[in-house]
Amino acid sequence: MVREIRGLQEKNDWVERILRALRADVEGKEIIECLRNGESYKSIAGRLRRGSLGDIAKESPTAERQLSEAFMDLEMNAVSDGTLGLDLYLEDNARWTNVTTDDSLVDHLMALYFTWLHPCHVIFSEVHFMASYRNRSNLYCSTSLVNAVCAMACRFFEFAPDYQRNPAIDAEQLGDRFMEEARSHIKPDMYYKMTTLQTFAIMFLVELSSGKGSRAAAYIRIAADKLNGRLDSQNLTEASEICSWGLYVLNITWAANTYQVPSIARMPNTDIFHNVHMDWHNALWQFYRHTGDFSAAPQPNSAMVTAKEQAKLCRIVHDTTSSFYDGQGARLSARAVLQQYKRYLTWKEELPPTVANVDPLEQPVPHILSLHIQYHCMIVNLFRPFLGLGQLMEAAHDQVKEIALENAMRGLELLELYRRQYTCRFQLPFQSFALLHMCDLLIRFSPAKPPAADVVHFCLEVLRESSDGRGGFSICGPLQEMFRQSAIECSIPLPTDVVDLMGPPSNYSPDNMLDAYTRLSYVQPVSQITDNLDPTFAHDWDKEWQGLVKTTPSATQGGVPGRSMEIASLLN
């Protein structure tokens, strides 16, 4: 034990010596080159001049984390031709945001963002961002990005003891002001900056959450266009690779939920997070709603591992979405569909243990639950178009139906677990879309088990919960109305407390629906897919299915090993 302690102390001395040299700009380029070549801290420290270290600024928990931040700053400085331009730092009297001078409010909003959105959609490196934020550097942070983060966090705002004393705070208006300032700082010559692309991505989520899907789509399209035109997969730094994959995931998920060919043309890299030091991003996740709300025990975060697996899933979704909605490509064959299904199953089977476990007793963090919910929804959307296809043999049709229903019920079970542990107040729009797709499948193809009326009530109730609060997700109003119309279409009685669930009747016009979702309905355009089927699709299905079962036994289970609870009891 004594030897281990001395070894740790010795390692810390090496790290501190390197850190001091970097901050003093002593042999900085040589140190960077040695680090890139994998040289040990001991070897590098041995090359440096001896001397008193003095006081080291305690910007982060450990000297090793300080070293990583100094390394990031020097790396980006080298990209800037070795000069520290004045525009790389905020001016002396400048603030990251001028919307408020209340630093505690900004800290609260940042905490909400990093609790509820960042782990689900890793658009930037938290380590890089926070290093620049603390150092007032524009390398990995910008005024527009900070304001966009705060605007998104306003969607998670709710009443709390410290803010009830200030009734003047209107979360929706506050969010609008942050968005206005974010836009004001984006100039045409900044469009290619990484922080601007990240700002566009967050503004996409803000507008989508606000029920302004049409405007939101423009933001994610801008980010995709810039990546399509400027991406160099051979020269991705850690921060830019995280950004590129984050934008890719957002674009693919949006395309899949709105039934269109993704606007992003290619993947950022062959190997996901090839340049990312996963150990740098280790952190704990803790349930947080308002200042001082740290009663729950911290849990392992696994945000970066989740983001990596999410990117892997979206590569499959990309191919599925393109083959379904690109009418210019080859006709859709039975083999192509079942190969996609096999890829989904393989993805599920190869999940690392840290994100594979969704046992309720282990209290999985919300972003891991969301990842599994999205997976089950994608299986539902893969097979949904073929449930009304009369050409399939009865046995084949029943098998496809069983797989789709099993995944829908498993997805809703996980969503209810999410709700019990964290409430659905903080669930993001893509999870609300998944809720609609899975509930819709059940009321159309299994109206008796579980009872369709219970499914309708559950869906409307979850959407109401998501829209509650001082900020809330306004898009849930139009989504409720779309689902209400589907229930009426399927002759399902509406809940007796429908006014409590949805509020007074609202006259949503087609323009309101298009503005919220860019489509008049969330229902999958089945005919668009079936019209493009290969003529031998039904004939080939049985043969291809038997071949799949031989190589992938889990295919018959639909990737669902068994539910821990009956879905009917969950909905009640």
Side-chain angles (χ1 to χ4, degrees):
M1 178 65 73
V2 173
R3 259 197 309 269
E4 290 180 4
I5 293 174
R6 286 177 178 171
L8 291 173
Q9 290 174 339
E10 193 175 41
K11 179 182 178 182
N12 196 53
D13 289 342
W14 301 332
V15 171
E16 288 183 345
R17 187 174 301 165
I18 296 169
L19 175 64
R20 184 174 183 274
L22 287 172
R23 294 202 183 280
D25 199 20
V26 176
E27 301 179 272
K29 292 184 178 179
E30 290 80 359
I31 294 173
I32 296 295
E33 188 62 31
C34 291
L35 287 169
R36 283 177 170 157
N37 292 334
E39 192 168 336
S40 69
Y41 295 150
K42 179 180 180 180
S43 174
I44 298 172
R47 300 186 184 195
L48 299 174
R49 295 174 301 186
R50 296 182 179 275
S52 174
L53 295 179
D55 294 327
I56 296 176
K58 296 181 179 178
E59 296 276 345
S60 54
T62 65
E64 191 161 0
R65 176 58 61 85
Q66 291 176 0
L67 172 61
S68 72
E69 293 176 5
F71 172 64
M72 284 184 268
D73 286 341
L74 275 180
E75 183 183 50
M76 288 306 294
N77 185 25
V79 173
S80 302
D81 298 325
T83 60
L84 281 174
L86 295 177
D87 60 337
L88 287 179
Y89 292 94
L90 287 181
E91 296 179 3
D92 290 342
N93 297 322
R95 299 176 56 85
W96 285 117
T97 178
N98 294 312
V99 171
T100 178
T101 57
D102 185 350
D103 290 337
S104 66
L105 175 59
V106 175
D107 291 344
H108 170 57
L109 293 172
M110 297 274 278
L112 286 172
Y113 180 91
F114 284 108
T115 300
W116 298 108
L117 190 137
H118 180 76
C120 289
H121 294 292
V122 181
I123 299 166
F124 55 75
S125 161
E126 181 179 358
V127 173
H128 290 72
F129 174 86
M130 291 307 300
S132 286
Y133 181 82
R134 285 193 298 266
N135 295 327
R136 296 171 58 81
S137 164
N138 284 313
L139 262 52
Y140 300 103
C141 186
S142 69
T143 52
S144 60
L145 182 55
V146 170
N147 278 280
V149 165
C150 290
M152 186 65 221
C154 286
R155 291 288 145 195
F156 305 115
F157 209 108
E158 57 180 18
F159 285 103
D162 49 348
Y163 291 114
Q164 283 178 343
R165 297 192 301 270
N166 186 0
I169 293 181
D170 183 304
E172 188 167 352
Q173 292 183 8
L174 185 64
D176 291 342
R177 289 166 58 197
F178 279 120
M179 280 289 281
E180 184 178 347
E181 181 160 348
R183 293 189 189 99
S184 70
H185 287 287
I186 300 175
K187 309 300 180 186
D189 61 347
M190 300 168 60
Y191 289 167
Y192 288 105
K193 288 189 64 177
M194 181 172 62
T195 52
T196 304
L197 298 182
Q198 292 161 341
T199 301
F200 284 144
I202 298 173
M203 292 170 76
F204 159 76
L205 289 169
V206 174
E207 298 289 19
L208 181 61
S209 302
S210 305
K212 301 172 183 174
S214 296
R215 181 184 292 182
Y219 284 123
I220 199 63
R221 181 59 187 257
I222 292 172
D225 287 347
K226 297 306 177 186
L227 281 179
N228 287 336
R230 293 181 60 85
L231 189 62
D232 183 358
S233 60
Q234 301 302 316
N235 295 296
L236 288 175
T237 64
E238 178 173 33
S240 63
E241 185 173 9
I242 290 173
C243 169
S244 299
W245 279 109
L247 296 180
Y248 174 83
V249 166
L250 272 184
N251 188 279
I252 299 304
T253 309
W254 171 244
N257 279 281
T258 51
Y259 315 119
Q260 57 182 307
V261 177
S263 56
I264 199 164
R266 51 183 175 172
M267 292 178 291
N269 208 340
T270 303
D271 298 323
I272 300 171
F273 288 178
H274 175 74
N275 301 296
V276 177
H277 296 79
M278 302 294 282
D279 292 342
W280 280 8
H281 303 271
N282 284 340
L284 294 175
W285 185 90
Q286 192 167 16
F287 188 93
Y288 178 85
R289 294 164 298 179
H290 49 76
T291 304
D293 184 23
F294 293 111
S295 57
Q299 302 170 251
N301 193 331
S302 303
M304 293 306 296
V305 179
T306 304
K308 184 174 183 178
E309 297 307 315
Q310 187 181 34
K312 290 181 182 178
L313 178 62
C314 280
R315 289 199 299 196
I316 308 173
V317 175
H318 189 170
D319 291 342
T320 303
T321 306
S322 297
S323 64
F324 274 16
Y325 306 113
D326 182 7
Q328 306 302 316
R331 286 191 172 273
L332 193 60
S333 66
R335 171 174 291 185
V337 172
L338 292 177
Q339 284 301 311
Q340 292 296 309
Y341 178 45
K342 181 177 181 178
R343 290 176 66 192
Y344 283 115
L345 294 174
T346 302
W347 174 88
K348 182 75 158 43
E349 292 168 357
E350 294 179 352
L351 281 175
T354 51
V355 296
N357 188 0
V358 288
D359 185 342
L361 297 178
E362 300 296 329
Q363 292 189 318
V365 289
H367 39 286
I368 290 180
L369 286 174
S370 293
L371 177 67
H372 284 261
I373 292 168
Q374 290 295 328
Y375 161 79
H376 290 293
C377 180
M378 292 308 164
I379 297 292
V380 167
N381 287 345
L382 176 69
F383 287 126
R384 165 67 178 86
F386 313 115
L387 296 186
L389 194 64
Q391 303 168 19
L392 286 179
M393 298 290 289
E394 183 177 356
H397 177 273
D398 290 346
Q399 183 72 64
V400 171
K401 179 180 176 181
E402 182 181 357
I403 292 173
L405 290 174
E406 285 287 329
N407 277 275
M409 288 188 279
R410 177 58 173 166
L412 290 181
E413 178 186 316
L414 292 174
L415 201 149
E416 175 58 20
L417 174 59
Y418 183 105
R419 185 188 187 196
R420 288 201 311 268
Q421 291 188 179
Y422 308 110
T423 82
C424 286
R425 166 66 185 84
F426 305 105
Q427 78 171 12
L428 296 171
F430 289 133
Q431 189 156 306
S432 296
F433 296 160
L435 167 71
L436 287 176
H437 298 317
M438 294 184 293
C439 287
D440 187 87
L441 184 85
L442 291 177
I443 66 174
R444 291 180 189 274
F445 296 97
S446 183
K449 185 181 179 182
D454 292 345
V455 176
V456 171
H457 191 281
F458 176 77
C459 184
L460 295 178
E461 189 173 42
V462 170
L463 290 174
R464 183 202 61 186
E465 188 174 305
S466 184
S467 63
D468 281 349
R470 300 186 72 175
F473 293 87
S474 306
I475 191 174
C476 292
L479 295 183
Q480 278 187 319
E481 175 60 19
M482 290 180 187
F483 191 69
R484 186 188 73 86
Q485 293 176 5
S486 292
I488 294 174
E489 176 189 334
C490 296
S491 302
I492 299 170
L494 295 176
T496 55
D497 58 344
V498 67
V499 175
D500 293 332
L501 294 173
M502 298 183 60
S506 300
N507 295 319
Y508 287 101
S509 69
D511 285 345
N512 294 142
M513 299 297 193
L514 290 171
D515 188 42
Y517 188 59
T518 72
R519 302 181 71 91
L520 293 175
S521 172
Y522 63 83
V523 178
Q524 199 171 10
V526 170
S527 61
Q528 182 179 343
I529 300 166
T530 55
D531 287 350
N532 193 43
L533 292 181
D534 188 281
T536 62
F537 184 92
H539 178 268
D540 295 341
W541 183 272
D542 287 340
K543 181 181 69 173
E544 297 295 340
W545 175 259
Q546 294 304 320
L548 174 64
V549 170
K550 288 180 181 178
T551 59
T552 313
S554 61
T556 57
Q557 300 173 354
V560 182
R563 298 193 303 281
S564 59
M565 295 180 66
E566 281 294 328
I567 189 68
S569 62
L570 271 176
L571 300 182
N572 286 308

